């Protein structure tokens, strides 16, 4: 079996400033998407852990965790759209986002002023 190098590595068009900039922008978008995905996973894990440790209790701390998760999901959705990806039901299914978190996506805490 033969292996061929990706075309964009040897392409003379990569040498142009615009192509190099486009490549770096795409790289940063992918990196930001990964960071957003990890934030969603971490916030959902905190919520699941809290639920497991405090079965059935609804407290201000839990509501804060739900809001944290909703804000992380919102950030992921925004980043996905910036990358040209859809935010269909598959995203919620893949990340196992609870309905109560999805219901709060796009809402934010009021600042104490």
């Amino acid at each position: 079996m033969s292996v061929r190098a990706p075309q964009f590595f040897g392409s003379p068009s990569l040498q142009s400033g615009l192509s190099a900039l486009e490549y770096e922008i795409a790289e940063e978008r992918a990196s930001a998407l990964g960071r957003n995905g990890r934030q969603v996973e971490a916030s959902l894990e905190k919520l699941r852990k809290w639920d497991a440790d405090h079965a059935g209790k609804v407290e201000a701390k839990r509501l804060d965790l739900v809001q944290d998760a909703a804000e992380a999901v919102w950030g992921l959705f925004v980043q996905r759209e910036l990358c040209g990806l859809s935010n269909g039901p598959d995203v919620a299914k893949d990340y196992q986002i609870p309905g109560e978190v999805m219901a709060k996506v796009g809402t934010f805490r009021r600042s104490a002023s």
Side-chain angles (χ1 to χ4, degrees):
M1 173 170 71
S2 64
V3 178
R4 173 177 78 117
Q7 295 299 313
F8 61 87
F9 285 131
S11 172
S13 65
L14 183 59
Q15 303 307 317
S16 75
L18 184 57
S19 293
L21 178 61
E22 289 171 346
Y23 181 81
E24 288 204 24
I25 290 171
E27 195 174 48
E28 181 55 34
R29 283 182 180 163
S31 177
L33 186 58
R35 282 191 307 272
N36 286 119
R38 287 187 297 278
Q39 285 177 335
V40 167
E41 290 169 349
S43 63
L44 290 174
E45 183 57 35
K46 285 180 188 177
L47 178 60
R48 288 184 189 109
K49 183 173 177 3
W50 196 93
D51 283 345
D53 293 345
H54 303 86
K57 294 182 184 175
V58 177
E59 297 178 12
K61 172 68 174 166
R62 184 177 188 286
L63 298 176
D64 282 343
L65 291 172
V66 169
Q67 188 62 44
D68 289 346
E71 290 175 16
V73 170
W74 181 82
L76 176 67
F77 284 178
V78 168
Q79 187 61 41
R80 285 180 58 84
E81 287 201 16
L82 288 171
C83 292
L85 302 171
S86 68
N87 288 320
D90 291 338
V91 176
K93 183 179 172 185
D94 290 345
Y95 282 94
Q96 300 175 357
I97 302 169
E100 67 181 319
V101 172
M102 287 298 293
K104 291 193 171 282
V105 171
T107 65
F108 297 93
R109 294 181 184 98
R110 289 187 186 194
S111 60
S113 46

